[in-house]
Amino acid sequence: MKIKQIALVLVATLLVAGCADLPQRTGAGLWHGGRLFIATGNSTGVYYSIGGGYADLISKHVPGYEARAEPTGASGENIQRVSTGDMDIALTLADVAADAYSGKGAFEGQPQKIVALARVYKSYVQLVVRRSANITKFSDLHGKRVSTGSAGSGADIVAGRILFAGGLNPDTDIVRQRLSLPETTKGMQNGTTDAFFFIGGLPTPGITDLFAAAPNAYQILPLSAQLQPLTYRYGPVYGSAKIPQATYNTPGDVDTIVIPNFIVVSPDMPEQLAHDLTKVLFEYQTELSRVHPEGGNYDKGNAPQTDPVPLHPGAARYYSSG
């Protein structure tokens, strides 16, 4: 067999292997055969919980369609996969979505094809440290092994920005680990990771499990001092909030930084389908809140506020209908 023929066979084999774990899209007359895939995040994070609940709502309440939530590396990867058509729906941090749509930051010169269905709940920046690593304030992260999240994720991008805002270079002043949340919590338990950033709704299942396994071994550091330099450089997409004491049974509330989340899709999605997917978010919100409390923390009044990412015309029609 000639070299060119061998190469073609190898490429075909890789393509088949890469798609083997996703069901084939079938179904005449329906977009993508009626099979919709939702890009979420780490399997122990809130995106995965919310995405799974949303998939169930779509499968039950959008006639002809079946949806499935897929674990991913979160925001950055999610947007790329929607833009290429590999995924249909994605959860993403608002700042990452803004960069992606505008072709800035990690997407410099490569604007992504996305539109929004809704602005939903806020994600909280959670900076968790091992007490045995002697980290009691932000500057103590210097020289420590710090996980900033999966490579290319929203957590990875935002953690880098927060470290800079706090006077630390994320590539030279810490030993940077780019690990998923399950890998990170394992490293914290094994003593190979000293601290980590995670951005998600409250409570984040993987962090709940970490604190429950060793209640006095970890603490969450406040981030109020980093907010002003962060917003000065990147704008008002970042806000302030508190992680309530009851969330992880901490000694008190913890000041931190919050970022809105968007649900985004391809502009190629049919108008009626986008309308129906948006409608499901609100008509069955009570069901979603039973999957995770953050499912109840968004409203129709704020949902259309997705600038600079435009709303899909189907979503816009839903909001304008009252």
Side-chain angles (χ1 to χ4, degrees):
M1 186 179 290
K2 295 180 180 179
I3 292 176
K4 185 176 180 180
Q5 291 174 311
I6 294 173
L8 288 172
V9 170
L10 286 172
V11 169
T13 302
L14 288 170
L15 287 172
V16 170
C19 299
D21 62 338
L22 296 179
Q24 296 301 304
R25 301 180 192 260
T26 58
L30 298 172
W31 195 59
H32 290 177
R35 300 302 300 268
L36 301 177
F37 298 106
I38 304 175
T40 62
N42 294 172
S43 60
T44 57
V46 178
Y47 275 4
Y48 189 66
S49 297
I50 291 290
Y54 189 29
D56 288 342
L57 293 182
I58 293 168
S59 299
K60 289 196 314 187
H61 301 296
V62 180
Y65 284 91
E66 182 180 345
R68 192 174 91 178
E70 297 291 333
T72 67
S75 298
E77 178 186 333
N78 291 355
I79 288 172
Q80 290 176 330
R81 295 181 74 175
V82 163
S83 187
T84 60
D86 184 44
M87 291 282 165
D88 305 298
I89 305 165
L91 286 151
T92 175
L93 292 172
D95 57 343
V96 179
D99 283 353
Y101 178 76
S102 305
K104 298 178 180 178
F107 301 91
E108 185 68 39
Q110 296 180 314
Q112 302 293 297
K113 290 175 52 181
I114 55 169
V115 290
L117 295 185
R119 170 177 174 163
V120 287
Y121 68 94
K122 294 178 181 177
S123 280
Y124 291 69
V125 181
Q126 300 166 74
L127 173 53
V128 182
V129 302
R130 278 194 302 110
R131 292 184 185 276
S132 60
N134 297 317
I135 303 170
T136 59
K137 58 185 181 299
F138 193 85
S139 59
D140 291 339
L141 294 174
H142 192 283
K144 301 297 185 181
R145 299 164 295 181
V146 182
S147 173
T148 56
S150 302
S153 66
D156 188 34
I157 294 168
V158 177
R161 292 177 176 181
I162 292 173
L163 285 161
F164 267 121
L168 295 175
N169 185 315
D171 296 316
T172 59
D173 290 337
I174 63 169
V175 179
R176 190 171 192 170
Q177 300 175 331
R178 286 184 163 100
L179 305 173
S180 69
L181 183 56
E183 293 170 327
T184 295
T185 55
K186 183 177 180 180
M188 293 286 280
Q189 291 169 328
N190 294 341
T192 57
T193 298
D194 301 314
F196 70 91
F197 288 85
F198 189 79
I199 303 174
L202 300 179
T204 295
I207 298 177
T208 297
D209 292 344
L210 182 70
F211 274 77
N216 298 315
Y218 311 102
Q219 69 180 98
I220 301 176
L221 292 190
L223 291 170
S224 52
Q226 288 71 39
L227 179 60
Q228 192 278 331
L230 192 66
T231 55
Y232 178 81
R233 181 166 184 179
Y234 296 104
V237 67
Y238 301 105
S240 62
K242 294 181 183 293
I243 300 174
Q245 175 184 12
T247 306
Y248 302 115
N249 196 29
T250 52
D253 296 347
V254 181
D255 292 317
T256 194
I257 295 165
V258 290
I259 313 161
N261 291 293
F262 293 169
I263 295 177
V264 299
V265 299
S266 166
D268 298 330
M269 177 178 281
E271 195 265 358
Q272 186 60 46
L273 177 58
H275 172 276
D276 293 346
L277 293 178
T278 308
K279 182 180 179 180
V280 161
L281 283 169
F282 296 94
E283 291 207 348
Y284 301 99
Q285 186 173 6
T286 301
E287 291 183 39
L288 191 58
S289 69
R290 294 191 190 110
V291 175
H292 190 281
E294 294 291 10
N297 292 335
Y298 60 89
D299 62 74
K300 194 174 177 181
N302 290 323
Q305 298 174 15
T306 60
D307 288 342
V309 182
L311 286 172
H312 190 292
R317 176 163 67 87
Y318 172 76
Y319 297 122
S320 66
S321 68

